[in-house]
Amino acid sequence: DQQVKQNSPSLSVQEGRISILNCDYTNSMFDYFLWYKKYPAEGPTFLISISSIKDKNEDGRFTVFLNKSAKHLSLHIVPSQPGDSAVYFCAASGGGSEKLVFGKGTKLTVNP
Amino acid sequence: GAVVSQHPSWVICKSGTSVKIECRSLDFQATTMFWYRQFPKQSLMLMATSNEGSKATYEQGVEKDKFLINHASLTLSTLTVTSAHPEDSSFYICSARGQLFYEQYFGPGTRLTVT
């Protein structure tokens, strides 16, 4: 039972355009969501997070939107840069647990 | 700040031998560390939660006698894969919990290949 789903295994965008990565979750106990970026053979690096009490959090080129009623969150990267090419993981936590549940990731390719 | 290292970055071992992987928090103390495993094109799967000075808590389906975890200090946790088999070949990643409850800083991972 996959509690965090990233249904798009890959996404390709042009440099300068917006990248939108989506994530759905099923567990209503989740109250904190994070996005990580991962290069091959490296550990994930934290990008941005959002608490369930908010519906938007912005940090530079990265914005995360949370729609609790739809159990959906998205990561917007604008403008996209070739260096953003990586695998992006959505993760969730909640119910008092510090454990993170990860999605399968979306491979983003930003073309120059 | 918040750097986590892992050693070795890759290791090849023969079937039946044991391999130890170290996870260190370099510039902060981590009372809690986590061990994950990632198969190709799959998500990170939590194997166990390691708390300094106490026994690790293993996720369902993870053999604690096979994957021995020791968190002897606030900056070091080790994962020992005992009697390794080819199906244990994977990418193992550790993380250390930061000051915020949900904050985790990840190491660069260790690629284990069992021949």
Side-chain angles (χ1 to χ4, degrees):
Chain A
D1 177 30
Q2 210 178 341
Q3 299 184 70
V4 178
K5 299 177 185 178
Q6 293 178 258
N7 292 320
S8 297
S10 64
L11 174 68
S12 184
V13 300
Q14 284 300 119
E15 182 179 4
R17 307 293 291 268
I18 185 171
S19 296
I20 300 176
L21 298 105
N22 294 303
C23 177
D24 297 293
Y25 62 96
T26 58
N27 190 337
S28 57
M29 296 295 288
F30 288 148
D31 57 11
Y32 200 77
F33 305 89
L34 308 92
W35 284 94
Y36 285 86
K37 177 180 179 180
K38 185 180 182 299
Y39 295 111
E42 292 185 12
T45 54
F46 171 74
L47 268 179
I48 192 169
S49 62
I50 188 166
S51 162
S52 61
I53 63 172
K54 293 186 173 183
D55 54 19
K56 176 183 174 181
N57 190 25
E58 192 172 351
D59 184 1
R61 297 187 297 115
F62 302 92
T63 304
V64 56
F65 296 92
L66 175 63
N67 182 334
K68 282 194 302 181
S69 60
K71 292 191 175 69
H72 176 84
L73 61 154
S74 60
L75 174 68
H76 292 212
I77 306 173
V78 57
S80 301
Q81 300 172 353
D84 295 329
S85 297
V87 177
Y88 288 79
F89 286 95
C90 169
S93 188
S97 171
E98 60 195 343
K99 298 177 188 178
L100 295 180
V101 179
F102 284 83
K104 288 188 176 182
T106 297
K107 183 178 181 180
L108 172 66
T109 302
V110 180
N111 301 303
Chain B
V3 178
V4 176
S5 70
Q6 270 183 254
H7 178 79
S9 55
W10 60 270
V11 58
I12 301 173
C13 71
K14 291 186 183 295
S15 188
T17 61
S18 295
V19 173
K20 181 185 281 188
I21 302 170
E22 292 186 349
C23 177
R24 292 182 186 272
S25 56
L26 297 185
D27 50 3
F28 67 105
Q29 294 182 330
T31 54
T32 303
M33 290 184 172
F34 303 89
W35 286 95
Y36 294 84
R37 184 174 179 176
Q38 186 188 21
F39 292 104
K41 299 186 190 249
Q42 297 294 317
S43 64
L44 281 75
M45 299 299 297
L46 179 65
M47 298 175 65
T49 302
S50 165
N51 291 297
E52 185 266 338
S54 63
K55 290 184 178 180
T57 304
Y58 291 81
E59 294 300 300
Q60 192 172 13
V62 178
E63 299 176 59
K64 60 182 178 183
D65 293 331
K66 180 168 186 61
F67 298 100
L68 300 179
I69 291 172
N70 185 9
H71 194 159
S73 78
L74 288 172
T75 60
L76 174 65
S77 176
T78 60
L79 168 68
T80 301
V81 183
T82 63
S83 187
H85 289 107
E87 56 264 32
D88 298 326
S89 299
S90 190
F91 193 58
Y92 293 87
I93 306 175
C94 73
S95 71
R97 200 182 84 186
Q99 291 192 342
L100 299 179
F101 189 65
Y102 295 129
E103 200 174 56
Q104 290 186 27
Y105 298 98
F106 286 82
T110 297
R111 169 72 59 193
L112 170 64
T113 302
V114 184
T115 60

